[in-house]
Amino acid sequence: MGFRTVEGLVLTHGAGGDRDQHTLVAIAEALDPLPVERINFPYRNQGRRPPDRAPKLLAFLSEEIPAIAARLGTDSGRLVLGGRSMGGRMCSMAVADGMPAAGLVLLSYPLHPPKKPENLRIQHFGSVDVPCLFISGDRDPFGSPEEFGAHLPAINGPVTTVWLEGEGHDPKKADADIVTAVSGWLESL
């Protein structure tokens, strides 16, 4: 795999998961030799279930991402950031707040809480100006393809969407398709 401008991928977990979530592991294994860092948010390492609020999660990312870049001998502008659900959302908010990144990989992005389409989580989209890859199940209660179609144009960077047919918020049998999509998209950067 010829990853030229991208020097690493940082993946974060969803609210109820951790760094060992099956899709995150599958991506890391498949992209070798590209460095892939799967990180836990601090609340996870402390054994707590409910996630911290966004400001605390964003403060963690603002320290952790540059530290990972330094460990890899690069800068965060050469890293792609992302993750599942809440983790991907936090990475997109960090980039909107000015965190340098080569792009965003957003798996099962939570556009809104289930059955609450009025509670959109898109206020920061207009400040995102890096390439974005959104991969979601077409039956995800956190956002339908039509809802994403209505809101993704607010993002200033190029946006790629991949829909997993028949899948919900935690695609169980789609890891191979997700890995293929992520790998191909990274190669295109």
Side-chain angles (χ1 to χ4, degrees):
M1 289 184 200
F3 302 106
R4 288 170 299 289
T5 59
V6 175
E7 295 187 5
L9 173 63
V10 178
L11 294 173
T12 56
H13 56 80
D18 63 25
R19 67 184 299 278
D20 294 324
Q21 193 268 346
H22 60 90
T23 305
L24 303 183
V25 171
I27 291 169
E29 289 174 352
L31 293 181
D32 187 51
L34 182 74
V36 178
E37 297 270 340
R38 297 174 292 115
I39 59 173
N40 277 344
F41 285 106
Y43 77 91
R44 246 329 168 203
N45 290 334
Q46 296 158 2
R48 292 187 287 118
R49 276 310 255 178
D52 292 314
R53 296 229 174 261
K56 194 167 187 178
L57 299 174
L58 291 169
F60 168 74
L61 289 176
S62 73
E63 293 178 8
E64 188 69 11
I65 302 299
I68 289 170
R71 244 189 352 262
L72 295 176
T74 188
D75 62 81
S76 54
R78 304 297 294 259
L79 301 178
V80 170
L81 312 179
R84 268 195 44 76
S85 194
M86 177 203 76
R89 178 175 168 236
M90 290 303 115
C91 287
S92 69
M93 290 170 70
V95 167
D97 285 347
M99 169 80 65
L104 288 165
V105 170
L106 305 168
L107 311 172
S108 299
Y109 185 89
L111 199 61
H112 57 70
K115 299 181 182 163
K116 294 184 180 176
E118 68 282 1
N119 292 0
L120 289 168
R121 297 165 170 159
I122 61 167
Q123 296 77 2
H124 64 291
F125 276 13
S127 299
V128 174
D129 61 359
V130 299
C132 298
L133 172 64
F134 285 82
I135 303 176
S136 290
D138 64 358
R139 297 185 180 168
D140 191 333
F142 287 80
S144 69
E146 296 75 28
E147 289 170 315
F148 276 93
H151 298 292
L152 292 183
I155 294 174
N156 291 308
V159 174
T160 304
T161 53
V162 174
W163 296 105
L164 305 169
E165 194 174 334
E167 293 285 356
H169 192 61
D170 185 12
K172 299 284 187 217
K173 300 179 181 129
D175 283 354
D177 293 334
I178 293 169
V179 162
T180 299
V182 171
S183 177
W185 182 80
L186 286 172
E187 294 234 13
S188 77
L189 290 181

